[in-house]
Amino acid sequence: MANRVLFTSESVTEGHPDKVADQISDAILDNILSKDPWGRVAVETLVTTGLVLVAGEITTECYVDIPQVVRKTVMDIGYTRAKYGFDGSTCAVVTSIDEQSADIALGVNQSYEVKMGENAEDIYNVTGAGDQGIIFGFACDETEEYMPLPISLAHKLARRLAQVRKEKILDYLRPDGKTQVTVEYLDGKPLRVDTVVISAQHSSEVSLNQLREELVEVVVKEVIPESLIDSKTRYFINPTGRFVVGGPLGDTGLTGRKIIVDSYGGYSRHGGGCFSGKDPTKVDRSASYMARYVAKNIVAAGLASQCELQLAYAIGVARPVSVMVETFGTARIEERKIEELVRTYFDLRPAAIIDKLDLRRPIYLQVASYGHFGRTDLDLSWERTDKADILRKEAGL
């Protein structure tokens, strides 16, 4: 009997309050890294009506005007007028910043391995993980970007919402918005789109009928292929009937509350740590990028149709304490062999990850909305498949 299941993923626009917070945190990180690539940053942001609160730990030799960075980020998102309930030029900006804990720095600056007498001449051996953590990376072959179809479509809908707002194709739209896509799978393969949900903030002047008709025409139909839509596909466009009050006026935003949106839409497991506001010595961020890089190369090499990689780290220790490969029964060689290839061809120590993926650069604001993975619009080091050929060769495929 055929196995039919429904799977749903969501995305949010850059004007969603939680995403506003993520972008502010990453804008601060980018500004510091542009002046001090070795800066240590762990920044959290809260946004609410008329207020941005930035708190965290920063150790750096440079100066960054944090209020100025905050205001520019908010205005670039589109909150430029008080009538939107949140305005980058008039909102209050409060900061509470300390230096990184000296106890944490002890483990990052000199790893457990070096303290135990291992080779300190190996530069990748010196830096310990900035925290303990479990990290997952994932890839599958159901889309050209090696991402699950539901989150891929949800992100594209959210990006299209922002595009038609900024280009004034639909000039009544406001920055806040959410999308959600339900895909029907048949025997593990995407068959059709079952349900599309869009909630878009809008001006009070537009009618609900106009908004619903135009969002289907200029957003949904521009993103979702006709081959995935049929007569049974359902659309819920602003299902409450009104979404005028939005952004930080309508809901408080916090850094790190959209970790499933940031990763794989729930299709893969998540270790629990967020990405935004953290410099790459934090494995929540850097090792998650590396795990995606490894999983994507495994799938691109044809070793499996799906690959989930789990890494686990101890604070102050360079080498991961565990490495696990899960292919959900799609592997063409033994998973044990794939794990051996991972250990052979990918250095999973934090300093090696930072070097391989070139992570001490101001590259993070651009991925703080619309996903950190599967971004075909960006040249991201962790999205490259430059290891696929050697993996394929070593696997004998």
Side-chain angles (χ1 to χ4, degrees):
M1 179 180 294
N3 180 30
R4 292 178 181 264
V5 298
L6 299 176
F7 192 88
T8 305
S9 294
E10 71 159 346
S11 183
V12 297
T13 66
E14 63 211 66
H16 184 280
D18 292 327
K19 273 288 144 223
V20 173
D22 285 342
Q23 289 167 92
I24 291 171
S25 293
D26 274 338
I28 293 168
L29 172 64
D30 275 1
N31 271 268
I32 290 172
L33 292 180
S34 69
K35 301 174 182 179
D36 178 10
W38 296 89
R40 300 277 173 82
V41 181
V43 171
E44 315 291 341
T45 303
L46 177 148
V47 296
T48 188
T49 306
L51 173 66
V52 177
L53 172 62
V54 179
E57 297 78 46
I58 298 175
T59 301
T60 181
E61 298 297 321
C62 72
Y63 171 76
V64 170
D65 187 338
I66 290 179
Q68 183 182 53
V69 173
V70 169
R71 296 186 189 284
K72 182 180 187 307
T73 304
V74 171
M75 296 184 74
D76 286 348
I77 290 168
Y79 289 112
T80 57
R81 301 174 65 186
K83 67 181 293 185
Y84 298 163
F86 192 72
D87 177 10
S89 62
T90 62
C91 65
V93 180
V94 179
T95 62
S96 179
I97 304 295
D98 291 314
E99 288 192 359
Q100 183 185 61
S101 163
D103 293 346
I104 293 175
L106 279 174
V108 178
N109 295 342
Q110 188 177 61
S111 71
Y112 173 84
E113 286 88 341
V114 170
K115 291 171 183 174
M116 291 298 102
E118 289 193 30
N119 182 14
E121 298 301 315
D122 183 345
I123 60 171
Y124 297 151
N125 231 25
V126 174
T127 303
D131 202 350
Q132 72 177 47
I134 55 173
I135 288 93
F136 288 93
F138 181 79
C140 62
D141 62 4
E142 64 185 51
T143 61
E144 65 178 11
E145 60 267 32
Y146 294 93
M147 289 288 285
L149 183 61
I151 188 65
S152 177
L153 292 177
H155 280 324
K156 289 176 181 177
L157 287 173
R159 286 175 59 196
R160 179 64 179 168
L161 263 183
Q163 180 185 7
V164 299
R165 169 179 63 87
K166 292 178 177 180
E167 294 180 1
K168 299 188 183 303
I169 297 171
L170 300 179
D171 60 3
Y172 52 76
L173 290 181
R174 300 295 180 254
D176 199 356
K178 302 179 78 172
T179 63
Q180 185 172 285
V181 178
T182 301
V183 173
E184 181 179 345
Y185 284 79
L186 177 62
D187 293 333
K189 300 295 183 182
L191 178 66
R192 55 182 290 275
V193 170
D194 181 81
T195 307
V196 176
V197 182
I198 296 179
S199 294
Q201 185 187 11
H202 57 87
S203 72
S204 58
E205 287 79 22
V206 66
S207 71
L208 183 59
N209 285 338
Q210 178 186 351
L211 182 142
R212 286 175 170 168
E213 289 177 5
E214 293 185 342
L215 285 185
V216 170
E217 285 299 318
V218 304
V219 176
V220 177
K221 290 185 177 180
E222 288 295 318
V223 168
I224 301 180
E226 289 185 16
S227 59
L228 294 174
I229 300 291
D230 59 26
S231 60
K232 295 181 180 180
T233 299
R234 299 178 297 168
Y235 302 96
F236 294 99
I237 311 296
N238 282 28
T240 67
R242 179 180 168 89
F243 187 6
V244 173
V245 177
L249 175 64
D251 196 8
T252 298
L254 291 169
T255 299
R257 279 210 302 205
K258 284 290 174 281
I259 58 175
I260 302 303
V261 170
D262 286 341
S263 54
Y264 307 101
Y267 200 97
S268 169
R269 287 171 283 194
H270 195 293
C274 80
F275 307 145
S276 290
K278 297 176 179 176
D279 75 78
T281 65
K282 300 291 189 182
V283 290
D284 279 339
R285 170 159 244 162
S286 55
S288 292
Y289 293 165
M290 189 64 171
R292 162 64 176 176
Y293 174 65
V294 174
K296 186 173 181 180
N297 275 272
I298 288 170
V299 175
L303 275 59
S305 296
Q306 295 185 27
C307 180
E308 182 183 78
L309 179 73
Q310 187 202 47
L311 306 175
Y313 290 86
I315 187 169
V317 181
R319 293 186 180 85
V321 299
S322 70
V323 178
M324 183 200 74
V325 171
E326 170 65 72
T327 62
F328 309 96
T330 68
R332 296 177 63 190
I333 62 174
E334 292 182 9
E335 286 183 349
R336 177 188 57 80
K337 175 62 174 175
I338 297 177
E339 286 185 10
E340 290 175 0
L341 290 172
V342 170
R343 294 179 185 276
T344 300
Y345 289 101
F346 300 92
D347 193 330
L348 303 173
R349 293 172 293 177
I353 292 172
I354 292 169
D355 187 32
K356 171 64 181 176
L357 301 182
D358 196 10
L359 297 181
R360 294 192 186 278
R361 299 177 291 144
I363 57 174
Y364 299 107
L365 175 58
Q366 62 184 344
V367 293
S369 50
Y370 312 118
H372 294 243
F373 309 120
R375 295 293 297 272
T376 56
D377 59 314
L378 302 172
D379 181 18
L380 302 174
S381 56
W382 54 90
E383 290 297 317
R384 297 170 186 167
T385 55
D386 52 344
K387 294 283 189 179
D389 287 343
I390 187 64
L391 292 176
R392 188 182 303 112
K393 179 181 177 181
E394 291 298 309
L397 299 179

